[in-house]
Amino acid sequence: MSDREEILALLRENARYSTEDLARQTGLDAEAVEAVVEDLESEGVIKGYQAVVNWEKVEPERVRAAVELNVTLDRETGYDDIAERLAKFPEVQGLRLVSGDYDFAMEVEGDSMSQVSRFISEKVAPVPEITQTVTHYIMESYKERGVEFGDGHDDDRLSISP
Amino acid sequence: MTFEASERVAGVPPSGIRRFFEIAEEYDDIISLGVGEPDFAPPWAARDAAIASLERGQTSYTANRGMAELRERIASFADRRYGLRYDPDEEILVTSGASEAVDLAFRAFLDPGDTVAVAQPCYISYAPGVQFAGADVLDVPTRAADEFKLTREALESSGAADADVLVMCYPNNPTGATMTREELKPVAEFAREHDLLVFSDEIYSELSYEHDHASIATLPGMRERTVVFNGFSKAYAMTGLRLGYALAPPEAIETMNRIHQYTMLSAPTTAQHAAVEALESCDDEVREMRDQYDRRRNFVLSRFEEMGIDCFPAAGAFYAFPECPWDDSDEFAEALIEDQRVAVVPGNVFGAGGEGHLRVSYATSLGDLKEAMDRIESFIG
Ligand SMILES: Cc1ncc(COP(=O)(O)O)c(C=O)c1O
């Protein structure tokens, strides 16, 4: 693995690793680590650093939905135009063009189910190119961005072993 | 008649690890760096294969030597990875853990009065195994100054020339030492000159970080005098499935199998199915685990360096073996548990040359390692 790949892998695992921790793990010195991270940021490879939140443990819990969108395109409007319009809404947390039965997979977040429903019906459905929306409320998260939401601390190994 | 231990058993003291295990068990908030097994789960493909075999009810005994398919896979793995060429029909024995293979070799080839030179510090089971077989252990201490590698000088000065068997383990538990092919040459030469059998425990072979693993059996004239032990516990995180194997010339395997066929009959069948799949399709997972261990190793070694604790650059297995900041490693390890709730194992339980050191396992999540190293740092102030 190159230094870049290694640092990227480590930051994906835990974006809060300090420069010193990254240096210790990779065997690079702190300046080298910082240089690599700066490059990754300025090239737009790293687009941000966010916490992976288990919303079920937060009061009040956030409501999230996976929304399938179907669109019809006309000569003037492409997928990118629709995407740009949708991505502007702060409720939209994720938006992807996908292959298969529908066109866009959209992730929406809100304070309540009614707020999310209202957003879909008042802001998304009226977009003229959108022909159909199917909303799936997220009931339970088991894994987000590679992180499993089990309680984690189930190390049942003997504390001393040969 | 009473249940009085036989002389062989009575002559073997309880394991030094046992005492620390008991101390550690008194607390429920311990961060343990005392663990000699992976913190990963076996690759899913291997687990699936085990489950599928159970669903099909494949739980009967296998051939004494192990499933033919597994022996074939082991043969091609050993060849592909280490250049060890063994015939799956006659030169491979599948055992219940590498532990069984080690025990079989001792019992198969030792007579009372025989001497077994054991390179130390080392895994805790060798000396008792030799004693259970009625033979005597000769300590061959290795030194921190040699990065705990086995040298010709160590063999000579400990009198190993008169021994019958040499037991060695690289990458090593507890030191994390490895040996390159070049460094193995004088050891092989010594074994040939003094006509020693060599029992080489290579169970950590997939966890060698700085250079490719080299097996002593691949050196000239060594194949015919060596038994290689390996298994699935470490590389594939399959400790509880109890599966290992021995590689040796036909007459050696035949003799070991004579004991195995009466005592174990065959290694666990479910585990053999898992192992076939592990060898077939789990290279990526092994590499990923190795990468993680390597990062943790770098982390731990550099933390010790920053603390001013001497630790040679351990290059294999998942142990660091730093010098103990106190003279008495038992006392230090005990105080560290009581004060800071961090468990490490004192080096003296691993035999001659281990005193004055600590075994620190990094088969633990980086978050816990970080916390544990912080606590050690504040403990030594
Ligand atoms: C050097 C060494 N050999 C053998 C074993 C035991 O392996 P197995 O689980 O295959 O019996 C261990 C386990 O800690 C070990 O460290």
Side-chain angles (χ1 to χ4, degrees), chain A residues 162, chain B residues 36 97-99 123 126 169 173 201 203-204 233-234 242-243 319:
Chain B
S99 303
Y123 178 50
Y126 305 141
C169 169
N173 174 9
D201 185 344
I203 193 152
Y204 293 100
S233 287
K234 313 297 172 176
R242 310 304 309 126
L243 203 65
Y319 310 104

Side-chain angles (χ1 to χ4, degrees), chain A residues 87-101:
Chain A
K88 290 229 157 50
F89 293 117
E91 290 88 344
V92 174
Q93 291 293 313
L95 183 65
R96 296 178 179 94
L97 185 65
V98 294
S99 64
D101 286 346

Side-chain angles (χ1 to χ4, degrees), chain B residues 30-101:
Chain B
I30 281 194
I31 300 183
S32 183
L33 310 183
V35 197
E37 66 176 319
D39 59 322
F40 300 105
W44 260 113
R47 282 188 265 170
D48 276 340
I51 294 166
S53 75
L54 286 173
E55 281 174 346
R56 288 195 297 267
Q58 294 171 323
T59 52
S60 24
Y61 296 129
T62 68
N64 294 136
R65 291 176 181 209
M67 284 161 44
E69 189 184 2
L70 175 56
R71 280 181 279 126
E72 270 157 33
R73 296 276 156 93
I74 290 170
S76 60
F77 170 83
D79 185 9
R80 172 166 66 87
R81 296 286 299 146
Y82 311 122
L84 290 164
R85 301 226 164 80
Y86 287 89
D87 180 284
D89 291 331
E90 300 202 309
E91 299 184 314
I92 297 179
L93 179 63
V94 178
T95 54
S96 180
S99 303
E100 193 215 343

Side-chain angles (χ1 to χ4, degrees), chain A residues 21 24-25 157 159 161-162, chain B residues 32 36-37 173 302 359 370:
Chain A
D21 287 345
R24 288 188 190 104
Q25 289 184 72
R157 296 176 300 163
S159 54
S161 67
Chain B
S32 183
E37 66 176 319
N173 174 9
S302 83
R359 190 188 74 175
K370 209 168 132 136

Side-chain angles (χ1 to χ4, degrees), chain B residues 1-334:
Chain B
M1 187 69 196
T2 56
F3 290 111
E4 196 178 322
S6 69
E7 269 170 44
R8 284 181 188 184
V9 173
V12 173
S15 151
I17 266 191
R18 183 79 223 159
R19 197 173 79 79
F20 265 82
F21 171 67
E22 277 157 13
I23 298 173
E25 288 309 283
E26 287 170 30
Y27 307 102
D28 53 14
D29 54 348
I30 281 194
I31 300 183
S32 183
L33 310 183
V35 197
E37 66 176 319
D39 59 322
F40 300 105
W44 260 113
R47 282 188 265 170
D48 276 340
I51 294 166
S53 75
L54 286 173
E55 281 174 346
R56 288 195 297 267
Q58 294 171 323
T59 52
S60 24
Y61 296 129
T62 68
N64 294 136
R65 291 176 181 209
M67 284 161 44
E69 189 184 2
L70 175 56
R71 280 181 279 126
E72 270 157 33
R73 296 276 156 93
I74 290 170
S76 60
F77 170 83
D79 185 9
R80 172 166 66 87
R81 296 286 299 146
Y82 311 122
L84 290 164
R85 301 226 164 80
Y86 287 89
D87 180 284
D89 291 331
E90 300 202 309
E91 299 184 314
I92 297 179
L93 179 63
V94 178
T95 54
S96 180
S99 303
E100 193 215 343
V102 173
D103 180 50
L104 289 177
F106 289 151
R107 287 196 286 153
F109 307 114
L110 296 177
D111 285 309
D114 282 351
T115 300
V116 179
V118 180
Q120 301 178 15
C122 66
Y123 178 50
I124 57 171
S125 298
Y126 305 141
V130 170
Q131 288 166 273
F132 290 141
D136 301 316
V137 174
L138 174 76
D139 296 349
V140 181
T142 60
R143 307 181 310 147
D146 299 322
E147 302 191 332
F148 293 105
K149 295 169 195 290
L150 179 57
T151 61
R152 195 177 167 108
E153 294 69 51
L155 288 163
E156 268 160 11
S157 63
S158 56
D162 296 328
D164 302 285
V165 177
L166 168 65
V167 178
M168 54 188 281
C169 169
Y170 292 95
N172 184 272
N173 174 9
T175 62
T178 57
M179 286 184 67
T180 63
R181 203 180 160 73
E182 275 313 300
E183 290 161 345
L184 286 169
K185 280 182 184 166
V187 175
E189 210 172 75
F190 184 90
R192 284 193 309 267
E193 276 169 28
H194 300 287
D195 196 23
L196 300 180
L197 293 181
V198 174
F199 296 169
S200 180
D201 185 344
E202 302 179 16
I203 193 152
Y204 293 100
S205 57
E206 285 293 283
L207 302 177
S208 178
Y209 307 106
E210 309 268 310
H211 51 81
D212 287 344
H213 173 70
S215 173
I216 193 162
T218 58
L219 294 180
M222 290 310 293
R223 190 184 187 283
E224 53 267 41
R225 60 175 67 251
T226 304
V227 182
V228 175
F229 309 116
N230 210 321
F232 296 85
S233 287
K234 313 297 172 176
Y236 300 96
M238 284 170 36
T239 47
L241 290 181
R242 310 304 309 126
L243 203 65
Y245 53 89
L247 308 173
E251 64 280 13
I253 291 297
E254 158 62 27
T255 309
M256 288 167 68
N257 190 34
R258 224 177 299 159
I259 306 176
H260 174 78
Q261 71 187 351
Y262 292 121
T263 53
M264 204 59 72
L265 285 72
S266 62
T269 303
T270 309
Q272 292 191 54
H273 286 283
V276 167
E277 190 59 33
L279 292 173
E280 174 66 14
S281 71
C282 299
D283 284 7
D284 288 347
E285 286 87 345
V286 173
R287 201 171 311 119
E288 176 55 29
M289 290 189 269
R290 177 170 50 229
D291 286 349
Q292 295 251 15
Y293 289 132
D294 190 18
R295 289 179 198 132
R296 297 171 185 176
R297 174 182 74 105
N298 285 328
F299 177 83
V300 166
L301 291 175
S302 83
R303 285 297 303 266
F304 279 131
E305 191 180 320
E306 287 160 17
M307 284 181 221
I309 293 182
D310 267 341
C311 184
F312 80 99
F318 33 61
Y319 310 104
F321 204 62
E323 256 173 39
C324 181
W326 298 2
D327 286 341
D328 186 322
S329 57
D330 263 332
E331 261 175 39
F332 180 89
E334 242 184 278

